[in-house]
Amino acid sequence: MRMSPRITASLATVLFSSAAALHIAITGTSQGIGLDAAKRLIRDGHTVYHLNRNSARSAEAAQQAGGGVPMVCDLASLASVRAFADELAGKELDVLCLNAGIAPSTKAEAPDKTADGFESCIGTNHLGHFLLANLLAPKVSRIVVTASSVHDPEQPGGAVGGKGGATLGDLSGLGPLTTGGPTMVDGAALRGNQISGAPPRRDC
């Protein structure tokens, strides 16, 4: 997703509030807002861990961003998420940014599934990030979550399938539960990761 310089500058500002160099892990730095934020943070002297689905994407992201540490964290595989958390156990970490996301095709006849059998959008965007945040929460002072307009039913991205398509309160944005877990209805998504939970630190 291509974002304006103003938005990415705001994200980079949110990620840190002091002059001290921080160690920041960002999912999805191979393009869009994640890559732009990584460039800005590295330029300002921070260490960025590039978390992408494979080593090739992370290596390319590090090259494009002008530095950082390429690492593998495939959010579509809970085993990969756990392996990444184990690998990071011996490294410094101050901030975790949950940025990566996929958008499944609304024309697909059947939903794609993650390695664990979940619908790919929920498994990648939500469950993978939820596990990652829980595993790394004890290490970090701040967790930043980015989202698209899909969370807002008043915006075009959130009105897929008609106004009010992105719903979580009554779960009408989800299809019937199956052995593979819930699926999206007409491409509608959970409301931008708006899942209740106390942050590790409250900054405002």
Side-chain angles (χ1 to χ4, degrees), residues 2-199:
R2 300 184 66 86
M3 307 297 287
S4 72
R6 179 178 62 81
I7 293 175
T8 50
S10 297
L11 173 61
T13 300
V14 166
L15 283 172
F16 62 92
S17 58
S18 68
L22 300 174
H23 292 75
I24 304 167
I26 308 177
T27 64
T29 59
S30 62
Q31 59 186 340
I33 190 172
L35 176 58
D36 196 12
K39 289 178 180 178
R40 294 169 186 268
L41 292 167
I42 291 169
R43 180 191 62 198
D44 291 339
H46 301 281
T47 297
V48 170
Y49 299 116
H50 297 272
L51 282 55
N52 294 286
R53 71 184 67 155
N54 57 52
S55 57
R57 290 177 75 93
S58 286
E60 182 178 356
Q63 182 177 20
Q64 291 188 51
V69 182
M71 304 185 76
V72 175
C73 182
D74 184 358
L75 295 166
S77 166
L78 299 183
S80 176
V81 173
R82 291 190 174 94
F84 165 76
D86 289 342
E87 183 179 358
L88 200 67
K91 300 180 184 295
E92 292 185 72
L93 182 64
D94 301 296
V95 180
L96 172 63
C97 180
L98 308 178
N99 166 72
I102 64 170
S105 171
T106 58
K107 298 180 180 180
E109 295 183 0
D112 291 333
K113 300 293 182 68
T114 68
D116 303 283
F118 299 109
E119 187 275 332
S120 61
C121 184
I122 291 178
T124 302
N125 299 0
H126 303 280
L127 301 183
H129 272 142
F130 183 77
L131 175 60
L132 181 63
N134 275 271
L135 292 173
L136 297 183
K139 290 177 63 71
V140 302
S141 60
R142 181 178 298 180
I143 296 178
V144 177
V145 181
T146 65
S148 71
S149 61
V150 171
H151 80 281
D152 186 355
E154 299 299 322
Q155 299 295 321
V160 177
K163 186 175 180 179
T167 56
L168 176 59
D170 61 3
L171 299 183
S172 62
L174 300 178
L177 290 175
T178 66
T179 55
T183 60
M184 297 298 185
V185 172
D186 296 326
L190 292 173
R191 292 182 60 113
N193 288 315
Q194 293 180 16
I195 300 174
S196 297

